[in-house]
Amino acid sequence: MRETFITNGPDADVMVVYAKLDEGDGTPVRDRQVLTFVLDNGMEGLTQGKAFKKVGMMSSPTGELFFDNVRLGMDRLLGGSTALEKGPKAADGQDGDHSAQRPEHGGLGDRAHPRGEAPEPLRGAGDQTVLD
């Protein structure tokens, strides 16, 4: 599988990847649970392509990520086994199975994409902040 136009993909040491869980029960793709994994460069089956030659915004490299039979353990799943739970103790902290809910505006990427909001909350963190 190939993912194209990944910001910082060619140079990333650590990648956060979203994937839909296929439990083999025939659930339509759009209704499957979304899981979040952390991958490191150099993992078996993960290849980072070269940076594209771009016109315009050149502040960060953009490229492709190639996934060829990448195998991940529970240690790579954000939230661990709790992320797999459905029902009252789901990782989202809400009651019920929300796997069929759809976002009202935009897709998952709209909420996962950094937009520069992080510095504001970090200003009040004081000594706990680790920024260079």
Side-chain angles (χ1 to χ4, degrees):
M1 182 177 83
R2 171 177 76 187
E3 290 295 321
T4 307
F5 300 113
I6 306 300
T7 303
N8 293 320
D11 297 338
D13 292 327
V14 177
M15 291 148 268
V16 177
V17 176
Y18 296 90
K20 291 207 171 192
L21 178 64
D22 182 358
E23 298 184 72
D25 60 0
T27 301
V29 174
R30 66 185 289 158
D31 294 334
R32 293 179 187 166
Q33 184 178 3
V34 176
L35 300 175
T36 309
F37 297 92
V38 177
L39 283 66
D40 296 322
N41 70 345
M43 291 181 70
E44 188 174 338
L46 173 64
T47 304
Q48 295 168 263
K50 293 182 180 181
F52 295 142
K53 293 182 180 181
K54 302 186 293 184
V55 175
M57 295 180 67
M58 310 237 281
S59 60
S60 59
T62 302
E64 296 175 302
L65 297 178
F66 300 91
F67 301 90
D68 183 27
N69 204 24
V70 176
R71 298 287 182 189
L72 302 171
M74 289 295 287
D75 61 324
R76 295 292 178 168
L77 177 63
L78 281 181
S81 60
T82 306
L84 296 173
E85 293 179 14
K86 295 180 182 178
K89 296 182 181 178
D92 64 6
Q94 299 180 18
D95 292 338
D97 181 359
H98 301 284
S99 61
Q101 288 186 357
R102 306 217 187 11
E104 293 179 20
H105 304 288
L108 178 64
D110 291 339
R111 284 174 298 292
H113 184 76
R115 291 193 174 98
E117 292 101 346
E120 190 59 40
L122 291 176
R123 282 192 183 100
D127 297 335
Q128 299 174 12
T129 306
V130 181
L131 296 175
D132 289 327

